[in-house]
Amino acid sequence: KTCRVIIHPGSYFLKKSLVFNCIGKAKVTIEAAAQSSDPEHAMTWLRNYHTWTLMESIPHQALSSPSKSFAGCHSRRTSASLRQMFGCRYYNSAANTFDSDESAGNGPEGIASGGTSWIHDQISHNDGPNQSPFLVLDSKRHNEPVIRVRQGVVNIKGLKILHSCMGTDIWNGNAAVQVQPPFGTDGAPVRIAAPSVGPTANVSCCDIMSLSGRGFVNIDGGLSRIFNCNIHNSAATGIYVGGAGSRALITQTDVVENGNGDNRHARGVARGHSGVYLEQGLAKIIDCNISKNSLTGISAVSGEHATLNIEQSDLIANGSLQLEMPPIGTPSRNRSSSRDNTIAARGTIRLRSKFGKERAAANANLTSPTTALPPLPQSPSEFPDDRVMRAGQVMVVDN
């Protein structure tokens, strides 16, 4: 069945990853309450909440006994429900308090205890009249994402996602959002059989950040559509696309200030990563801002198995190359294209996403650095359809 989860504004500490295996044509939608047009959703949520609370208050022996019955309750316990999955600690940033049975320094299993000042700094941006649901996973487990899509279609709308975990495997779990099929006994990705579909994530109007790994990973045949998102300040790559058959469509999205390394763990991911990294598969990027990342803005490295199409986008003030296309003369290069883009070593950044603009307004830091910038490695002759600014030229970008 199709499932819809509506999350009310506030900051939440998840106990573990949200893992999705949708069978057949089933879809799951997770969205902010403000995104919902259903006026009855609040009452439905309230009724479901009290039903679940009643179930939790009844002893397990009573629920499993056939001689006792309770109005409105099932006679047995089932596996963890979505309500239980979201039964996480609620953090009131205004009051600086946690609403749970555990203290902030002794969190539930899977949540790193202590050291919450960095979390408070991030969620403090969520205060005010325009609050959004803020999902936080700070895990002791190795390579555990906030959201893992293994099979079927998952729609994610209007959420802020903050991630940190142990480990350095930024291909298989150390990411805020992981779109990847499960592995078989032979260690190879499982091919999803019809009528089910492969892992598919439609992510819109979200703010995504990983303090330990990548922001978004689409790998091993996953399909992702990313629209109007702000993917920023991740320790490693902002968006990674890899593995045969992987596809990503990225539109009106900011991918900024990624790749600066994991500063929370002594043996974490090192500094030096791209905004968007295409290893294999197809990436189509339209009207995006990919700027101020530690290494390259966009890199497509495979000469045989990558296709990169980018248009109407800005690549400004990235650490080395602004745009690294597949090697010249290769099949990947012949399939790839770059049109109507602004490519410059420095300049004013024009943000696309809602959350990107909100964060920039809060930080009052829209202008990229103007000193100690590397020379521009591309030349206009390589990209005749782009606007490539050489060192010393002046660029004016409309805000």
Side-chain angles (χ1 to χ4, degrees), residues 243-255:
S246 298
R247 294 168 293 161
L249 172 63
I250 309 165
T251 55
Q252 295 181 17
T253 289
D254 297 304
V255 185

Side-chain angles (χ1 to χ4, degrees), residues 60-84:
H60 176 68
Q61 294 81 358
L63 285 173
S64 59
S65 173
S67 62
K68 296 184 179 182
S69 62
F70 298 86
C73 297
H74 298 288
S75 60
R76 62 182 179 86
R77 282 199 173 189
T78 59
S79 58
S81 65
L82 281 170
R83 174 64 184 84
Q84 288 170 298

Side-chain angles (χ1 to χ4, degrees), residues 315-388:
L315 295 92
I316 299 174
N318 294 289
S320 58
L321 298 173
Q322 307 302 315
L323 175 60
E324 182 182 12
M325 297 290 281
I328 295 175
T330 63
S332 292
R333 181 59 175 262
N334 295 336
R335 292 191 300 266
S336 300
S337 62
S338 174
R339 300 187 180 93
D340 301 323
N341 301 300
T342 298
I343 302 173
R346 60 183 179 182
T348 301
I349 295 172
R350 182 170 69 88
L351 298 167
R352 266 68 169 185
S353 67
K354 167 193 169 185
F355 283 124
K357 294 174 182 177
E358 288 181 359
R359 187 176 185 87
N363 294 338
N365 185 26
L366 294 177
T367 305
S368 59
T370 57
T371 59
L373 289 168
L376 200 64
Q378 297 90 350
S379 66
S381 61
E382 292 182 53
F383 304 99
D385 296 324
D386 292 329
R387 184 183 182 188
V388 181

Side-chain angles (χ1 to χ4, degrees), residues 29-50:
T29 297
I30 304 176
E31 62 182 316
Q35 304 287 321
S36 171
S37 59
D38 180 7
E40 297 296 326
H41 78 272
M43 292 304 298
T44 302
W45 176 86
L46 188 63
R47 287 193 294 269
N48 291 340
Y49 175 84
H50 285 298

Side-chain angles (χ1 to χ4, degrees), residues 184-263:
T185 55
D186 58 354
V190 174
R191 185 175 181 178
I192 307 300
S196 298
V197 298
T200 303
N202 300 314
V203 184
S204 59
C205 301
C206 288
D207 184 277
I208 299 173
M209 177 180 180
S210 172
L211 297 178
S212 63
R214 286 173 167 150
F216 197 106
V217 170
N218 185 88
I219 194 171
D220 294 334
L223 169 62
S224 296
R225 301 180 184 93
I226 304 172
F227 170 74
N228 200 245
C229 290
N230 184 34
I231 301 175
H232 63 98
N233 294 99
S234 293
T237 319
I239 300 175
Y240 173 87
V241 181
S246 298
R247 294 168 293 161
L249 172 63
I250 309 165
T251 55
Q252 295 181 17
T253 289
D254 297 304
V255 185
V256 296
E257 299 184 282
N258 297 286
N260 291 312
D262 181 356
N263 298 319

